[in-house]
Every structure is written in structure tokens, then in C-alpha cells.
Amino acid sequence: SIDKNKVVSIGNNINFNIIGNGGINLTQSGYSIGYFYGYVQTGIYQTTAQLDKEPHMSSAAPGDISYADINHDGKIDQNDRTYLGSPFPKYNFGGSVSLGYKNFDFEVDLQGVAGNKIYVQRRTATFATLNYETNRLKAWTGAGTTNVEPILDNTRSNNYLFSTYWLEPGDYLRLRMVQLGYTFNTHILHGENSGGQTLRLFISGQNIATFTHATGYSPEVPISNITAAGADNGVYPLPAVYTFGLNLSF
């Protein structure tokens, strides 16, 4: 399915905005509900010479995230925030396949979404300079070291402004169920007079694999609050379940 939404008006005032999750999400007329609103990362400031040439915040320093000058006024401020994507998938898809060959049977169910973004809010904690996720192993340490990860310094407040740096794609494809079975010929088990008895052995797995670029335990983040959706604060992992069994009928 393809999902689209657009806010036509909010009450009697089309200029009224609804802010969610401390300003991360914004709902306003003419856009999709609860979209992500912030700065666009263009790289990392490498040197003071680069800072002198490019628009920047007054407190910016080498190693900080560089942001796009959206309104082209030669400076970076809150007026350069813009639409960054939606927490709601544009595409929802799924399918199942059942196959049989001689005494074997095989079944697989798949499900996924595409076209949404995830706010990796779990990475924003600044309690101490330890226990960071592995992406921070590539933090900026000098000119030319990286153009993605800012300096490892939690006093640089500019780097904690909401931007595309904190977003990742929410697309995924998940193997919901895979099952392989084998049904024995009844005359092998009980001879020619086995009647209607059958024996089937099977092995199955649920949620055994998820293909995604999301870095959390699960790409299925909460979207129940439509004006503040899409934040990953440590989503509980979906357990994989493996089953082996038999079906005996008389």
C-alpha cells in the first residue's frame, strides 16, 4: 500500500503549528503531519579557514557540524530549519510464498516498510563522555579525519541541535516466518495397512532476520503519537523464535 497525508488546516487558523517532542516534530498546514523539522547537515567544519568562508553559527569551531544556509542570508540560525522527512512510512508491503515438492513443503512470510525516517534520540544523552555507540569511534579528531561525525566533546552544543545527523532511514524488510516441513509416506511407517495416519516433521523460525540500515534493536519505532512520532529511545528488540515439531494425524 502507498500512504500519503497532508494537513489541510488546523482549526480556523491555517498558520497555527503543533510542536511535538520538544520541537523535533512539526505539524502545519500544507505538509504531512508530525514531520521532522530541523537543520540539514552538510559536513564537518575542518579548519578555521573553512569557517571564515562558509556561513556558520557564532560559536562554531573546527570539528562541529556544518549546516546548510537554507534561506541564503549568510548565517546559520533557527530560520535555516526545514522539512527533513516523515516518521510515517510511505510504503507498506508484505507477501507470502508457499511451495511444495514431493513430500516437502516450504512457506515464507515477509513484511516491510519504506520511505520513513527514524530519529535516533537515544544517542543524544550527554551525561558523560563514555558509553557512546560505535559510530562515535569515527569522531572528528583533526582536519580531514571525517566529514560526518563531529568532535567528541559534549560541550559543543551546536552538534546537539536537531538535524539530519540524527536521522537514519527507517526502511526494512523482515522475515516474519519461515517454515520447512516433510511428510512421511504412511506405508513406510506402518506398512500398507496404515490407513489415514500421517506424520509431518517441521522446523520454523519467526522474526529470524531483518534487513535494514537502522542501527537500533528494531526499526519499528513508536508512531502512536502522530504529532511526536518516530523517535528511537531504545526500542525493545523483537525476539526470534525457533520451533521444531511434528504433526501426527489418525
Side-chain angles (χ1 to χ4, degrees), residues 81-112:
R81 293 177 296 171
T82 187
Y83 175 92
L84 301 182
S86 173
F88 303 104
K90 183 176 181 180
Y91 305 101
N92 289 270
F93 51 85
S96 62
V97 176
S98 297
L99 302 172
Y101 178 73
K102 294 184 178 180
N103 290 37
F104 288 97
D105 60 89
F106 175 78
E107 185 177 358
V108 58
D109 291 333
L110 303 99
Q111 175 267 331

Side-chain angles (χ1 to χ4, degrees), residues 169-187:
D171 311 347
Y172 72 87
L173 174 65
R174 174 169 285 151
L175 283 174
R176 288 289 186 183
M177 190 276 292
V178 178
Q179 185 175 106
L180 177 65
Y182 182 85
T183 302
F184 289 90
N185 293 324
T186 54
H187 69 272

Side-chain angles (χ1 to χ4, degrees), residues 120-137 152 154 160 166 217:
V120 193
Q121 192 167 13
R122 67 180 191 273
R123 291 178 175 172
T124 62
T126 58
F127 301 115
T129 53
L130 48 86
N131 287 339
Y132 287 114
E133 295 189 18
T134 55
N135 65 299
R136 300 302 281 135
L137 291 172
L152 194 61
N154 61 5
Y160 290 92
W166 300 104
Y217 287 125

Side-chain angles (χ1 to χ4, degrees), residues 51-250:
L51 279 167
D52 293 338
K53 295 178 181 178
E54 298 181 7
H56 61 274
M57 295 180 176
S58 58
S59 59
D64 286 348
I65 295 174
S66 61
Y67 300 113
D69 183 13
I70 298 297
N71 62 359
H72 305 291
D73 63 355
K75 59 183 180 180
I76 304 297
D77 56 27
Q78 62 181 1
N79 296 317
D80 292 303
R81 293 177 296 171
T82 187
Y83 175 92
L84 301 182
S86 173
F88 303 104
K90 183 176 181 180
Y91 305 101
N92 289 270
F93 51 85
S96 62
V97 176
S98 297
L99 302 172
Y101 178 73
K102 294 184 178 180
N103 290 37
F104 288 97
D105 60 89
F106 175 78
E107 185 177 358
V108 58
D109 291 333
L110 303 99
Q111 175 267 331
V113 304
N116 62 307
K117 299 290 186 181
I118 295 174
Y119 169 35
V120 193
Q121 192 167 13
R122 67 180 191 273
R123 291 178 175 172
T124 62
T126 58
F127 301 115
T129 53
L130 48 86
N131 287 339
Y132 287 114
E133 295 189 18
T134 55
N135 65 299
R136 300 302 281 135
L137 291 172
K138 301 178 181 179
W140 186 91
T141 57
T145 53
T146 179
N147 206 35
V148 176
E149 291 292 335
I151 190 172
L152 194 61
D153 183 347
N154 61 5
T155 66
R156 302 282 190 96
S157 59
N158 289 346
N159 297 328
Y160 290 92
L161 297 172
F162 180 63
S163 70
T164 51
Y165 171 76
W166 300 104
L167 293 177
E168 60 187 16
D171 311 347
Y172 72 87
L173 174 65
R174 174 169 285 151
L175 283 174
R176 288 289 186 183
M177 190 276 292
V178 178
Q179 185 175 106
L180 177 65
Y182 182 85
T183 302
F184 289 90
N185 293 324
T186 54
H187 69 272
I188 295 177
L189 297 173
H190 302 287
E192 296 297 335
N193 298 320
S194 59
Q197 298 178 358
T198 61
L199 175 64
R200 176 178 176 269
L201 299 179
F202 69 90
I203 183 170
S204 67
Q206 297 178 350
N207 307 316
I208 61 175
T210 302
F211 305 97
T212 181
H213 290 294
T215 57
Y217 287 125
S218 173
E220 294 181 283
V221 299
I223 57 173
S224 55
N225 184 347
I226 60 175
T227 59
D232 182 356
N233 282 295
V235 180
Y236 194 80
L238 196 64
V241 179
Y242 298 90
T243 306
F244 175 79
L246 60 85
N247 299 122
L248 181 62
S249 60
F250 298 91

